[in-house]
Every structure is written in structure tokens, then in C-alpha cells.
């Protein structure tokens, strides 16, 4: 139920390569050379690790069962939403080229952990709207100068280390 293909030289994976694994729960493709990814619609896949590849965009993931995705250390920019991943609880985009975060995450109502460390993230008051279950938010190393209103009622861990904060506004920590 787990397949670990990490640390190889894979540059492409097609639907046909993995179509005979319908009961796969966890897929590790970290530390490869993947530039694009076309995965079958796994009905039971809960976690996928795509860390340290050459992905330039977030793969089309029509896997509605996914709970955890690690896309850290890729060349990804955040130019799309995650509409189909409604059960996602853990999303890692550390060391990517995220840029401005507007409302790309707003449909991820189950999201509890979001990693955006050293990802060039630019925040506004709506960056994390509707994320009522968010418990952990990692924003270190983003050159954030001022903290917008986070409005995250369930937040337990907030890492803002190694930014460019010059002052704190009490409105940022209302909840």
C-alpha cells in the first residue's frame, strides 16, 4: 500500500506506469527529476511526497482522497487553486516561488498544516480566509514586513522567524 520511489532519476511518470496500483495509500516520489506529473485517479491515496523535483506547476491532482501533499523544494508558483482537494489536511510548499497569496487556499477547509517557509510568500488580509481548522502555519524566511489579519481561530503554531517584520499590529493576533 506504500510505494517509495524517492532518490531516483525519474523525469516522467505517466498514468500507465501506476495504473495497476488502485489501493495505493502513500506515494513517495521525492528527490527525483520530475518536471510534470500525470497520476491516475487513485481512490485511496492519502499522501504524496513530491519534494525536491523540478516541478514548475502544481500537478493536476484529481485525487479527492488526498490528505497530505509535500511539494517543497520545487520551482512552483502559486497560480491556481486547490478546488478538488477538499480533504487535504497538510500542504507543504516550502522553498517554492509562491509569490502573492490571495485566495488560493480558501477551499481547503480541512487544512490544518501549511508550510510556506522560504517561499517568497506575499500576504494580505485574505491569504488564509476560511481556514478555520488551521493549527500550524509556517511562514519563516519570506521577508514579510507587516503581518496582515490572520483570523485563524484554531492556530496553535505560527512561525514567523527570519522575516523583515518591523512592528506588530495587535489586530493581527485578534483570535
Amino acid at each position: 500500500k506504500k510505494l517509495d520511489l524517492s532518490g531516483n532519476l525519474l523525469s516522467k511518470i505517466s498514468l500507465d506506469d501506476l495504473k495497476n496500483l488502485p489501493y495505493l495509500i502513500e506515494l513517495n516520489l521525492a528527490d527525483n527529476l520530475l518536471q510534470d506529473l500525470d497520476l491516475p485517479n487513485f481512490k485511496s491515496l492519502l499522501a504524496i511526497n513530491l519534494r525536491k523535483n523540478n516541478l514548475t506547476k502544481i500537478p493536476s491532482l484529481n485525487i479527492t482522497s488526498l490528505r497530505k501533499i509535500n511539494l517543497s523544494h520545487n520551482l512552483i508558483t502559486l497560480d491556481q487553486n486547490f478546488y478538488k482537494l477538499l480533504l487535504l489536511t497538510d500542504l507543504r510548499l516550502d522553498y517554492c516561488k509562491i509569490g502573492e497569496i490571495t485566495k488560493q487556499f480558501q477551499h481547503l477547509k480541512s487544512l490544518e498544516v501549511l508550510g510556506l517557509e522560504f517561499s517568497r510568500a506575499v500576504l494580505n488580509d485574505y491569504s488564509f480566509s476560511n481556514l478555520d481548522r488551521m493549527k500550524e502555519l509556517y511562514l519563516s524566511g519570506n521577508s514579510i514586513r507587516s503581518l496582515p489579519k490572520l483570523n485563524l481561530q484554531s492556530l496553535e503554531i505560527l512561525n514567523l522567524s527570519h522575516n523583515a517584520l518591523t512592528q506588530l499590529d495587535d489586530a493581527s493576533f485578534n483570535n
Side-chain angles (χ1 to χ4, degrees):
K1 294 187 180 184
K2 292 183 181 182
L3 177 60
D4 188 344
L5 294 169
S6 64
N8 283 292
L9 301 172
L10 297 171
S11 59
K12 185 176 181 181
I13 291 182
S14 71
L15 290 168
D16 291 336
D17 296 333
L18 301 174
K19 70 179 179 184
N20 293 323
L21 300 170
Y23 300 108
L24 194 63
I25 291 174
E26 189 174 311
L27 178 58
N28 188 350
L29 294 169
D31 296 302
N32 275 290
L33 304 171
L34 295 171
Q35 294 178 1
D36 198 10
L37 191 62
D38 192 10
L39 291 176
N41 187 3
F42 292 111
K43 302 250 188 269
S44 57
L45 191 66
L46 298 178
I48 185 166
N49 187 350
L50 295 167
R51 185 178 193 273
K52 287 191 176 180
N53 275 285
N54 294 324
L55 298 170
T56 56
K57 63 180 182 175
I58 296 169
S60 252
L61 297 171
N62 294 323
I63 305 167
T64 55
S65 60
L66 270 178
R67 302 287 197 282
K68 184 175 184 176
I69 303 172
N70 189 341
L71 291 162
S72 298
H73 293 272
N74 277 289
L75 306 170
I76 292 172
T77 56
L78 196 58
D79 57 356
Q80 65 208 90
N81 294 321
F82 298 88
Y83 289 110
K84 296 177 183 175
L85 304 176
L86 299 177
L87 299 177
L88 197 64
T89 60
D90 190 327
L91 175 60
R92 306 296 173 133
L93 292 163
D94 306 306
Y95 293 90
C96 291
K97 298 178 181 178
I98 298 304
E100 185 173 9
I101 300 171
T102 54
K103 295 182 178 181
Q104 294 95 330
F105 303 120
Q106 72 179 352
H107 298 297
L108 300 178
K109 296 185 187 306
S110 298
L111 196 64
E112 296 178 1
V113 179
L114 179 58
L116 295 167
E117 296 183 313
F118 296 91
S119 62
R120 302 179 188 175
V122 177
L123 309 179
N124 63 46
D125 287 344
Y126 306 101
S127 295
F128 308 114
S129 61
N130 298 324
L131 299 179
D132 296 332
R133 293 186 182 176
M134 179 75 69
K135 292 180 182 176
E136 301 176 26
L137 181 56
Y138 299 94
L139 293 168
S140 66
N142 282 298
S143 301
I144 297 170
R145 295 186 185 281
S146 64
L147 194 59
K149 296 175 187 174
L150 294 177
N151 202 20
L152 298 170
Q153 290 85 12
S154 300
L155 197 64
E156 297 173 5
I157 298 172
L158 175 61
N159 186 345
L160 289 164
S161 62
H162 304 287
N163 276 290
L165 291 170
T166 56
Q167 64 182 21
L168 295 176
D169 181 358
D170 62 342
S172 298
F173 301 108
N174 267 350
N175 298 2

